[in-house]
Amino acid sequence: MQKIQIEDQFAEDWIRLFAHLANLFFEQCEIVVDEDKDAIKVDMTLVRTSSQMLIGKAVLTKDGLKYSKEFSEAEEIGDAKVKNRQLKRIYSHIFLEVLEQATGMHQSWGILTGIRPMKLYHKYRRDGDTSEQAIQRIMNNYRVSREKSELLAKIADIQLRSVPDLYDLQNEVSIYIGIPFCPTKCAYCTFPAFAINRKNGRVETFLDGLHEEIREMGAWLTEHQMKITTIYFGGGTPTSITAEEMDALYKTMYSSFPGMENVREITVEAGRPDTITPEKIDVLKKHNIDRISVNPQSYTDETLKAIGRHHSVQETVDKFWLSRNMGMKNINMDLIIGLPNEGMEEFQHSLAETEKMQPESLTIHTLSFKRASQMSQNRDKYKVADRETVEQMMKLGEEWNKSNGYEPYYLYRQKNILGNLENVGYAKPGEESIYNIVIMEEVQTIIGVGCGASSKFIDPTTGKITQFYNPKDPAAYILSYEESIEKKLAHLNAIFPQAVTN
């Protein structure tokens, strides 16, 4: 455990900020304020000049050596929130740079530790910046590398090509429907995912509640003439339930939600190949759903076994071709960089196998040690690639996608992600997932129904975001779904008052 000692002048939220930055350099790091002879010491000061400039200075002391950095900005005019945001940015700059000097590590995402860097670029463009001006602001304000800043610009162009009205969707909604069951739970997973077990009737009881929630949400949307942009079935694995249960659920969706003929996209994440059957594909086709995920994560059987995915590589290949040959026209696949015991050779193999199938889209994730996952709780058990290797793997993924005709169309990041990298969704031109774009860029309200579903209510006037979470556990969901419905309707009425009076 590496300790970093700072002065006793910062509030708790500032200490968390410094801890997030320090964890980019050290696997485990603690920020302390008390004297500690074993800690790296970082002294930070801020002065205001007569010319309204703010100058921050940091001095880091490690093993008897000192590293220093200054960073200055013109003082911004605004309320306390604006001023606090600027101060955090200045302190983050100097804290990050002295750590870079001391460790020899460079952070290409600069001081950004949030998950949605794309939102910054979109904001600057909407404020009137040219592409180059937006890139420069991201580089200067957040110390993001030019390579990553230009990647954001490229993705934004592709998003606006795919969804030309991206900035005007605030008066529509999308729907997320969560099915919390999987054949088994993967070691890296923190999503609501419970091993499907029909002995106690909780699957059937959960589905009864889900049908009711869909009907109630649909009644509100119908009454208030709200348009639905996209619908996404996630989880868990939505294809864990039976073909008959899927059919009944889709019937309820079509009979409850208004304007289904105008919904731009319906996706079912059939992520686990071991849940895909001809009968289930027939149900999908019956309801005009041809956008699914068939997720290998890796094409190495030993890796699949290590992370708890109880299917083989061959089953992934077989189920992909079953889906394709039965009429699934838009298939996404996921690969994860940095899975246990995998390096360049294994990732090259995964890409080579993917090349044989040419799915419409490929999402390349970087392994993240999520706090509640089995992998994080037993980290010593899993040997993962070092920073340099995962960077090489990410670069290889970029080159492979480019050479195979894929373009990056959405990007997000996570805490504790290997190499401080990113997750990138690639797609063949015209095959981008609209849902992935709108949820990542937070341009409209997402209504979450089902177990563990997160609703994100975005005020169309102010842009204020309010989140509401359904219970993750099926038993808790079954007991409280009626209360969840009432709370979500209250949120909807609050942000769409014009709809209430129509």
Side-chain angles (χ1 to χ4, degrees), residues 11 18 91 103 152 158 170 172 176 179 201 247 262 267 314 344 418 448 483 492:
F18 295 137
Y91 277 110
T103 63
L152 298 180
I158 293 167
Q170 64 271 24
E172 298 183 14
Y176 176 86
I179 310 292
D247 186 41
N262 296 317
T267 302
Q314 189 59 49
M344 286 291 287
L418 286 182
E483 180 183 353
L492 288 168

Side-chain angles (χ1 to χ4, degrees), residues 121-378:
Y121 181 85
H122 280 298
K123 178 184 182 302
Y124 294 152
R125 290 305 307 272
R126 295 177 79 173
D127 287 346
D129 282 3
T130 65
S131 178
E132 181 57 29
Q133 287 171 333
I135 288 170
Q136 286 294 335
R137 287 178 72 177
I138 290 170
M139 291 171 62
N140 295 336
N141 291 348
Y142 301 97
R143 212 181 160 282
V144 177
S145 71
R146 173 164 282 278
E147 179 185 15
K148 299 298 185 186
S149 300
E150 289 180 346
L151 175 60
L152 298 180
K154 180 176 183 178
I155 289 173
D157 286 345
I158 293 167
Q159 290 180 338
L160 290 168
R161 182 192 69 198
S162 178
V163 191
D165 56 346
L166 182 64
Y167 299 157
D168 301 306
L169 292 174
Q170 64 271 24
N171 289 312
E172 298 183 14
V173 300
S174 284
I175 312 290
Y176 176 86
I177 301 174
I179 310 292
F181 302 110
C182 276
T184 58
K185 185 156 185 170
C186 301
Y188 53 79
C189 181
T190 56
F191 288 103
F194 297 83
I196 195 160
N197 179 357
R198 294 187 173 273
K199 292 181 180 179
N200 55 16
R202 69 173 178 172
V203 176
E204 294 80 3
T205 310
F206 159 74
L207 289 172
D208 288 342
L210 179 58
H211 279 269
E212 182 62 22
E213 198 175 8
I214 290 173
R215 283 191 287 265
E216 290 291 332
M217 290 297 113
W220 188 93
L221 294 169
T222 301
E223 180 184 354
H224 298 94
Q225 300 179 348
M226 294 294 294
K227 290 183 178 180
I228 300 172
T229 309
T230 67
I231 299 172
Y232 190 97
F233 286 83
T237 304
T239 46
S240 292
I241 59 177
T242 67
E244 293 76 18
E245 289 166 338
M246 289 168 57
D247 186 41
L249 192 59
Y250 303 154
K251 285 179 180 176
T252 297
M253 173 183 71
Y254 271 93
S255 64
S256 301
F257 290 154
M260 285 297 295
E261 67 279 4
N262 296 317
V263 173
R264 303 186 198 188
E265 175 185 279
I266 303 174
T267 302
V268 174
E269 191 171 325
R272 288 286 292 263
D274 40 345
T275 67
I276 299 171
T277 66
E279 294 77 18
K280 292 177 184 179
I281 297 174
D282 279 337
V283 170
L284 293 170
K285 290 173 60 182
K286 174 183 174 182
H287 295 281
N288 298 315
I289 300 170
D290 65 3
R291 187 180 195 98
I292 65 171
S293 293
V294 181
N295 294 336
Q297 315 299 19
S298 168
Y299 283 89
T300 301
D301 280 320
E302 292 78 8
T303 302
L304 296 178
K305 183 177 180 181
I307 62 177
R309 288 179 76 88
H310 291 184
H311 63 84
S312 66
V313 168
Q314 189 59 49
E315 187 167 12
T316 300
V317 175
D318 292 344
K319 294 304 176 65
F320 174 90
W321 288 115
L322 173 68
S323 302
R324 174 68 84 222
N325 294 333
M326 288 188 67
M328 293 294 104
K329 297 177 182 177
N330 194 315
I331 301 177
N332 174 76
M333 304 188 92
D334 286 359
L335 294 176
I336 300 179
I337 286 174
L339 286 171
N341 302 311
E342 288 207 348
M344 286 291 287
E345 182 179 350
E346 289 78 11
F347 188 56
Q348 285 173 327
H349 174 65
S350 289
L351 291 172
E353 291 300 307
T354 305
E355 191 163 349
K356 297 174 184 176
M357 288 173 274
Q358 294 289 315
E360 280 65 35
S361 57
L362 176 70
T363 306
I364 295 185
H365 299 270
T366 306
L367 181 66
S368 172
F369 280 90
K370 301 171 186 176
R371 186 167 48 187
S373 70
Q374 297 175 33
M375 193 172 287
S376 293
Q377 294 170 1
N378 301 279

